[in-house]
Structures are given as C-alpha cells and as structure tokens.
Amino acid sequence: MPAPLCLVTNKDGVLALNPAALAMLQEVAQPVVVVSIAGPYRTGKSFLMNRLAQKRTGFPLGPTVQAETKGIWMWCLPHPCRPGVMLVLLDTEGLGDPKKGDSHNDAWIFTLALLLSSTLVYNSIGTIDQKALEHLELVTQLSELIRVRDGDKEGSNSVEREDEAEDCEFVRFFPNFVWVVRDFTLELRVGERPISEDEYLEQVLELKHGHGRKVQSYNGTRLCLRNYFPTRKCFVLPPPLGTEECGRMEELPEAALAPRFLQQAAQFCNYVLSSTWPKTLPDGRALSGRGKGRMEGGKRGRGVMMVTQRTTRGAL
C-alpha cells in the first residue's frame, strides 16, 4: 500500500468496516504481523507508526489541538525483518477527544484494535502516574465488551458463553503490550538505585494489600493490565526537540531531532519489529489477510465483540 487507508470508520459514534480497505486486506495471502497503537489524542501516536513503517510520512500528523486520526487506519507493508510476512500497522483514533465526549466509543475502538493486534502499543505523555492509569480504565470494561464463543472445526453448533470469560481465556487472544511514555524527563532511579524502564512499569503496576473499596479502586486497572498482558514492555522517550517544532516533526531532518530521542525511538522500533510474531488462530495457524471480517455490535457500545474459537479464518 503506498499510503494508509481507513479500515474502520467512526461516524456519529457508529463503527463500520470500510469495504475497500477490507478487500485490500483480503488480498494479502502472507501471514500478517499486526501492530496497533492507542492512547490519548494528540500525543504523537501517528509519528511512532510512521517510524515502524520506516517512512517519514504516511499516517497524518498535525500541529494543532484538533485530532487528526478518526476511526482506525491501516497500512500494509512488507515486514522489514521477516521475509514472506506482511506488516499491518493500525493507527487508532485518540482516546479522550473532548469534541467527541464518548467514552463508550473509545472503549470499542480500543477493544477492536486490541483483538486485531499481535502487539498493542499504548502511547502517553509525561509519566505513568494515576492520571495515565485512569486513561486506561477502559481495560476494566473488556470483560463486558468481549465474549468467547466455542465452535467445532466446521464452525457449526458454536455456543456463546453468556457469562464473563475468565482472564486466562482472554490472554490466549490478547497481544503483547508495549507502553511508550513520551516527553519523559525524570531519572529512572529509586533512591540511589538506577532502574530499567520495565522495572519502572512494574513498580507502577504493583498492587496494594487489602480489601476495602479504595484498595479495590486502586488495584482495578493495575490488576487487569497484569492479568490480561503477561508480556509487557516499557520505553521512555525524552522530548524530541523544542515545543514550537514538535507539531511538525515529519517536516524536519533527522539531525534536528534530539539524539537521545532518536536512540530510544530506534530501540522501540527494533523491539516491536523483532519480537512481534504473526497473529495466530487458536489452532496455531498464522492468520493471513484473507481472513473474513466480521464485527458484531453496532451503535455506541451496544452488543458485544465476539472472539470465535474456530479453525476457519476470522479477523474481526
């Protein structure tokens, strides 16, 4: 694909597949590695996707407060590290756009990107503090939005489990999780001891002991992240350059960006491209772009997203 194409439109709170993008995806016969990115709006998600594509431009960037990406945009490219594999990048609409004001719609976009991914990148700014975790409270809604359906090899006599699926069932379908913290200016240190980026994330996700309401509220998002994403990674990126130039990074030469930022961005790309394997079905077969697309539900968070355990190919 010479440029990204909208895969899932989001109009008036209704998500719908774009037939043209779906047809293009179904032409892909190779196994697919799917990397999606989510996070608050206007935090530079599209820039990271362009870096993974090894392109200066592609997914649109913008210097204003207006959100650029709506719905979910897809870019299919030959994988730079795995011959015979297609890299599918999914850039999602930013969470918390004040002009949209619909947290249920945010939850559907996040859930759909998660189910499609081999690796899910969560992009935020500053530090991993309580406010950053509050943006991820939607992971606590996943058990309400997803049901697991069992089916036989022919796809017949499949029965949906009406009760909420256990965490261990979700893990079989959920992707690796990478948290990227942008514009990070703190020292990775606890007392006098330096810590790694991964240790920083794990310290933030530590649980409190107890059973009171405050403890349950504190642990809720942390517990879901720990249970749903056993494979977790963290990268912290310093500010790339001055505030005035940040909105037009794709227009600047590499030499204008901070060396430490470029180094960390390269480490992030190397990790994602080398550690992310093709999306597989429950029977272990690699999923290709020819998988059938199906999205159940519809308006404003009504209905449920189905994860179908079949040997027939299915993408949505």
Side-chain angles (χ1 to χ4, degrees):
M1 294 175 59
L5 187 64
C6 184
L7 175 64
V8 178
T9 62
N10 185 17
K11 185 176 182 180
D12 298 326
V14 178
L15 304 182
L17 284 167
N18 176 7
L22 185 60
M24 183 169 293
L25 183 62
Q26 289 174 334
E27 293 178 0
V28 178
Q30 306 101 309
V32 292
V33 165
V34 185
V35 179
S36 65
I37 192 166
Y41 90 115
R42 308 308 295 130
T43 54
K45 298 184 298 297
S46 299
F47 176 83
L48 286 182
M49 287 287 100
N50 289 340
R51 301 294 293 193
L52 285 173
Q54 300 183 351
K55 305 288 186 180
R56 291 287 293 169
T57 60
F59 292 109
L61 312 179
T64 70
V65 296
Q66 181 178 356
E68 290 290 324
T69 304
K70 295 295 183 181
I72 300 178
W73 284 70
M74 173 185 72
W75 202 357
C76 298
L77 301 160
H79 198 291
C81 304
R82 303 187 192 278
V85 173
M86 185 67 69
L87 176 63
V88 179
L89 300 175
L90 300 179
D91 189 12
T92 68
E93 181 173 330
L95 307 176
D97 185 346
K99 287 196 172 183
K100 182 171 65 174
D102 187 346
S103 60
H104 295 292
N105 186 256
D106 283 348
W108 279 109
I109 292 175
F110 181 86
T111 304
L112 181 55
L114 181 151
L115 290 175
L116 289 173
S117 302
S118 310
T119 289
L120 173 67
V121 179
Y122 185 76
N123 184 79
S124 66
I125 282 185
T127 61
I128 306 180
D129 54 13
Q130 187 60 32
K131 183 177 180 181
L133 287 168
E134 287 173 359
H135 275 294
L136 267 174
E137 280 186 351
L138 47 82
V139 300
T140 64
Q141 305 174 34
L142 293 176
S143 62
E144 302 171 7
L145 298 176
I146 300 172
R147 296 291 183 269
V148 177
R149 172 181 291 175
D150 289 321
D152 59 23
K153 291 183 178 181
E154 300 301 324
S156 60
N157 301 322
S158 60
V159 178
E160 177 191 345
R161 300 178 185 175
E162 293 294 344
D163 57 328
E164 294 183 1
E166 297 292 336
D167 291 351
C168 60
E169 293 181 295
F170 287 155
V171 167
R172 290 183 295 142
F173 301 98
F174 282 11
N176 298 336
F177 181 80
V178 179
W179 194 324
V180 177
V181 186
R182 306 286 290 275
D183 296 349
F184 187 83
T185 58
L186 303 178
E187 290 187 32
L188 287 173
R189 185 181 298 274
V190 175
E192 297 299 321
R193 183 177 69 89
I195 61 173
S196 68
E197 295 153 299
D198 294 337
E199 288 176 314
Y200 171 57
L201 175 59
E202 295 309 310
Q203 286 195 352
V204 171
L205 298 183
E206 287 182 355
L207 304 178
K208 284 186 176 180
H209 298 291
H211 303 283
R213 181 176 299 178
K214 287 185 177 180
V215 172
Q216 291 180 352
S217 176
Y218 178 90
N219 288 343
T221 301
R222 292 169 172 84
L223 188 61
C224 287
L225 288 172
R226 291 164 63 99
N227 290 345
Y228 293 159
F229 305 107
T231 302
R232 301 182 292 271
K233 186 74 176 174
C234 180
F235 291 90
V236 298
L237 277 63
L241 37 90
T243 304
E244 293 182 357
E245 296 89 358
C246 274
R248 306 185 184 279
M249 290 171 58
E250 78 280 11
E251 300 175 4
L252 300 174
E254 292 278 304
L257 302 180
R260 177 63 175 164
F261 172 82
L262 291 174
Q263 179 185 4
Q264 290 294 96
Q267 289 182 5
F268 159 76
C269 292
N270 290 337
Y271 172 82
V272 171
L273 293 174
S274 64
S275 66
T276 304
W277 294 93
K279 188 75 172 176
T280 59
L281 296 171
D283 62 0
R285 288 189 299 163
L287 182 66
S288 74
R290 290 179 175 171
K292 295 180 180 179
R294 181 168 65 93
M295 186 167 63
E296 297 196 26
K299 294 185 178 181
R300 304 181 184 275
R302 300 181 63 183
V304 294
M305 196 82 68
M306 299 296 182
V307 181
T308 306
Q309 292 179 253
R310 303 186 186 207
T311 55
T312 55
R313 291 175 176 173
L316 290 177

